[in-house]
Amino acid sequence: MAKLILLVEDNMSNRDLFIEILRMHPEYELHVAESGLQALEMLESFRPDLILMDIHMPEMDGLAVTRAIKSTPELSGIPIVALSALAMKSDIKSAIDAGCVGYITKPVRIKKFMDDIKTYITN
Ligand SMILES: [Mg+2]
């Protein structure tokens, strides 16, 4: 059975890119939210195996969405990986502090991205 991934990403070109990459991998089924609020709504009835969380989003940023998920007992076990163009140590630390299990910098390199997904989903 395909592993379910929820991508939370406000930027359309980035969404299209991730959809394109994951389309080549039938072992994963990608679901997409365009905002943090939409992601939280989806999670009321959907339990993905992994969440890919853009950090920079308007209204509710990825750190706030991650904190909300991690403070909800039914959702707190879902691994969340941060996606960001920033790769300063302090950015990574903020994501880990918010509850992310890992950090992927954009633009992604496809091979490394797929390896990372595999690692975070099985962990
Ligand atoms: Mg963004």
Side-chain angles (χ1 to χ4, degrees):
M1 216 168 74
K3 296 284 191 183
L4 306 177
I5 298 177
L6 174 61
L7 169 69
V8 189
E9 168 66 74
D10 68 310
N11 180 280
M12 192 177 73
S13 331
N14 284 338
R15 285 199 300 271
D16 288 348
L17 176 68
F18 290 119
I19 289 167
E20 197 63 32
I21 295 172
L22 284 159
R23 180 184 291 162
M24 319 288 283
H25 296 268
E27 66 272 35
Y28 302 117
E29 184 181 305
L30 184 64
H31 297 246
V32 180
E34 300 179 10
S35 71
L37 286 177
Q38 192 191 355
L40 293 176
E41 257 175 48
M42 289 170 74
L43 289 168
E44 287 173 16
S45 58
F46 172 56
R47 295 289 176 275
D49 297 291
L50 181 74
I51 299 174
L52 298 172
M53 181 71 71
D54 179 31
I55 296 301
H56 296 272
M57 297 188 289
E59 290 164 18
M60 196 175 188
D61 74 12
L63 298 179
V65 187
T66 298
R67 285 189 208 101
I69 292 169
K70 289 295 158 180
S71 60
T72 305
E74 314 86 78
L75 302 176
S76 63
I78 304 170
I80 303 177
V81 177
L83 297 173
S84 178
L86 303 175
M88 303 277 289
K89 269 191 183 145
S90 57
D91 300 311
I92 298 173
K93 184 174 185 305
S94 307
I96 302 301
D97 287 350
C100 291
V101 70
Y103 197 95
I104 293 175
T105 48
K106 296 185 281 192
V108 299
R109 279 181 295 167
I110 296 176
K111 168 81 168 68
K112 171 84 164 64
F113 177 67
M114 294 313 302
D115 287 349
D116 285 346
I117 285 185
K118 201 172 176 183
T119 305
Y120 293 125
I121 269 189
T122 48
N123 280 352

